[in-house]
mmCIF file of all heavy atoms in Angstrom:
data_model
loop_
_atom_site.group_PDB
_atom_site.id
_atom_site.type_symbol
_atom_site.label_atom_id
_atom_site.label_comp_id
_atom_site.label_asym_id
_atom_site.label_seq_id
_atom_site.Cartn_x
_atom_site.Cartn_y
_atom_site.Cartn_z
ATOM 1 N N GLY A 116 54.560 1.419 -58.267
ATOM 2 C CA GLY A 116 54.832 2.125 -59.519
ATOM 3 C C GLY A 116 53.864 1.721 -60.609
ATOM 4 O O GLY A 116 53.401 2.560 -61.398
ATOM 5 N N PHE A 117 53.549 0.435 -60.664
ATOM 6 C CA PHE A 117 52.561 -0.057 -61.629
ATOM 7 C C PHE A 117 51.198 0.581 -61.375
ATOM 8 O O PHE A 117 50.490 1.005 -62.310
ATOM 9 C CB PHE A 117 52.464 -1.578 -61.512
ATOM 10 C CG PHE A 117 51.346 -2.197 -62.290
ATOM 11 C CD1 PHE A 117 51.468 -2.438 -63.651
ATOM 12 C CD2 PHE A 117 50.153 -2.534 -61.658
ATOM 13 C CE1 PHE A 117 50.422 -3.003 -64.377
ATOM 14 C CE2 PHE A 117 49.109 -3.109 -62.363
ATOM 15 C CZ PHE A 117 49.249 -3.340 -63.726
ATOM 16 N N LYS A 118 50.835 0.685 -60.103
ATOM 17 C CA LYS A 118 49.532 1.260 -59.748
ATOM 18 C C LYS A 118 49.474 2.736 -60.123
ATOM 19 O O LYS A 118 48.438 3.236 -60.603
ATOM 20 C CB LYS A 118 49.298 1.090 -58.244
ATOM 21 C CG LYS A 118 47.858 1.284 -57.816
ATOM 22 C CD LYS A 118 46.992 0.126 -58.282
ATOM 23 C CE LYS A 118 45.602 0.192 -57.673
ATOM 24 N NZ LYS A 118 44.737 -0.887 -58.175
ATOM 25 N N VAL A 119 50.563 3.448 -59.915
ATOM 26 C CA VAL A 119 50.610 4.867 -60.269
ATOM 27 C C VAL A 119 50.364 5.054 -61.763
ATOM 28 O O VAL A 119 49.656 5.978 -62.189
ATOM 29 C CB VAL A 119 51.971 5.483 -59.862
ATOM 30 C CG1 VAL A 119 52.140 6.872 -60.473
ATOM 31 C CG2 VAL A 119 52.094 5.543 -58.350
ATOM 32 N N GLU A 120 50.919 4.159 -62.572
ATOM 33 C CA GLU A 120 50.819 4.296 -64.023
ATOM 34 C C GLU A 120 49.494 3.813 -64.578
ATOM 35 O O GLU A 120 49.092 4.206 -65.678
ATOM 36 C CB GLU A 120 51.959 3.519 -64.697
ATOM 37 C CG GLU A 120 53.354 4.001 -64.331
ATOM 38 C CD GLU A 120 53.579 5.451 -64.725
ATOM 39 O OE1 GLU A 120 52.984 5.888 -65.744
ATOM 40 O OE2 GLU A 120 54.316 6.158 -64.022
ATOM 41 N N THR A 121 48.784 2.964 -63.840
ATOM 42 C CA THR A 121 47.574 2.350 -64.407
ATOM 43 C C THR A 121 46.289 2.776 -63.711
ATOM 44 O O THR A 121 45.198 2.409 -64.157
ATOM 45 C CB THR A 121 47.674 0.809 -64.335
ATOM 46 O OG1 THR A 121 47.882 0.408 -62.971
ATOM 47 C CG2 THR A 121 48.823 0.318 -65.194
ATOM 48 N N SER A 122 46.395 3.512 -62.612
ATOM 49 C CA SER A 122 45.185 3.934 -61.889
ATOM 50 C C SER A 122 45.083 5.462 -61.902
ATOM 51 O O SER A 122 46.100 6.163 -61.891
ATOM 52 C CB SER A 122 45.228 3.436 -60.445
ATOM 53 O OG SER A 122 44.129 3.936 -59.712
ATOM 54 N N HIS A 123 43.848 5.966 -61.902
ATOM 55 C CA HIS A 123 43.617 7.409 -61.903
ATOM 56 C C HIS A 123 43.009 7.885 -60.583
ATOM 57 O O HIS A 123 42.600 9.039 -60.482
ATOM 58 C CB HIS A 123 42.689 7.795 -63.070
ATOM 59 C CG HIS A 123 43.219 7.389 -64.411
ATOM 60 N ND1 HIS A 123 44.323 7.977 -64.987
ATOM 61 C CD2 HIS A 123 42.801 6.430 -65.285
ATOM 62 C CE1 HIS A 123 44.564 7.422 -66.162
ATOM 63 N NE2 HIS A 123 43.656 6.473 -66.356
ATOM 64 N N ASP A 124 42.966 6.991 -59.598
ATOM 65 C CA ASP A 124 42.380 7.331 -58.303
ATOM 66 C C ASP A 124 43.506 7.502 -57.286
ATOM 67 O O ASP A 124 44.086 6.522 -56.820
ATOM 68 C CB ASP A 124 41.424 6.229 -57.852
ATOM 69 C CG ASP A 124 40.644 6.620 -56.612
ATOM 70 O OD1 ASP A 124 41.126 7.494 -55.858
ATOM 71 O OD2 ASP A 124 39.568 6.045 -56.381
ATOM 72 N N PRO A 125 43.853 8.737 -56.922
ATOM 73 C CA PRO A 125 44.979 8.948 -56.003
ATOM 74 C C PRO A 125 44.762 8.320 -54.626
ATOM 75 O O PRO A 125 45.728 7.897 -53.982
ATOM 76 C CB PRO A 125 45.097 10.473 -55.917
ATOM 77 C CG PRO A 125 43.778 10.992 -56.363
ATOM 78 C CD PRO A 125 43.244 10.012 -57.359
ATOM 79 N N ASP A 126 43.509 8.253 -54.188
ATOM 80 C CA ASP A 126 43.254 7.649 -52.876
ATOM 81 C C ASP A 126 43.562 6.151 -52.886
ATOM 82 O O ASP A 126 44.103 5.604 -51.913
ATOM 83 C CB ASP A 126 41.807 7.870 -52.463
ATOM 84 C CG ASP A 126 41.522 9.337 -52.151
ATOM 85 O OD1 ASP A 126 42.476 10.049 -51.749
ATOM 86 O OD2 ASP A 126 40.372 9.771 -52.322
ATOM 87 N N VAL A 127 43.219 5.474 -53.974
ATOM 88 C CA VAL A 127 43.528 4.049 -54.100
ATOM 89 C C VAL A 127 45.036 3.840 -54.143
ATOM 90 O O VAL A 127 45.584 2.930 -53.500
ATOM 91 C CB VAL A 127 42.859 3.468 -55.365
ATOM 92 C CG1 VAL A 127 43.348 2.046 -55.622
ATOM 93 C CG2 VAL A 127 41.346 3.495 -55.222
ATOM 94 N N ILE A 128 45.725 4.682 -54.895
ATOM 95 C CA ILE A 128 47.187 4.579 -54.992
ATOM 96 C C ILE A 128 47.826 4.836 -53.631
ATOM 97 O O ILE A 128 48.725 4.102 -53.200
ATOM 98 C CB ILE A 128 47.723 5.589 -56.031
ATOM 99 C CG1 ILE A 128 47.166 5.274 -57.417
ATOM 100 C CG2 ILE A 128 49.247 5.580 -56.040
ATOM 101 C CD1 ILE A 128 47.478 6.324 -58.463
ATOM 102 N N ARG A 129 47.337 5.885 -52.961
ATOM 103 C CA ARG A 129 47.890 6.237 -51.646
ATOM 104 C C ARG A 129 47.659 5.104 -50.645
ATOM 105 O O ARG A 129 48.532 4.801 -49.812
ATOM 106 C CB ARG A 129 47.247 7.529 -51.169
ATOM 107 C CG ARG A 129 47.972 8.201 -50.026
ATOM 108 C CD ARG A 129 47.408 9.596 -49.802
ATOM 109 N NE ARG A 129 47.837 10.526 -50.857
ATOM 110 C CZ ARG A 129 46.993 11.166 -51.672
ATOM 111 N NH1 ARG A 129 45.683 10.950 -51.582
ATOM 112 N NH2 ARG A 129 47.445 11.997 -52.582
ATOM 113 N N GLU A 130 46.513 4.464 -50.731
ATOM 114 C CA GLU A 130 46.218 3.338 -49.837
ATOM 115 C C GLU A 130 47.198 2.190 -50.067
ATOM 116 O O GLU A 130 47.665 1.549 -49.120
ATOM 117 C CB GLU A 130 44.778 2.853 -50.062
ATOM 118 C CG GLU A 130 44.371 1.707 -49.161
ATOM 119 C CD GLU A 130 42.961 1.216 -49.448
ATOM 120 O OE1 GLU A 130 42.260 1.852 -50.263
ATOM 121 O OE2 GLU A 130 42.566 0.188 -48.869
#
Side-chain angles (χ1 to χ4, degrees):
F117 171 81
K118 196 71 171 177
V119 169
E120 299 300 328
T121 57
S122 175
H123 302 291
D124 188 336
D126 291 333
V127 171
I128 298 172
R129 196 169 286 119
E130 181 182 353

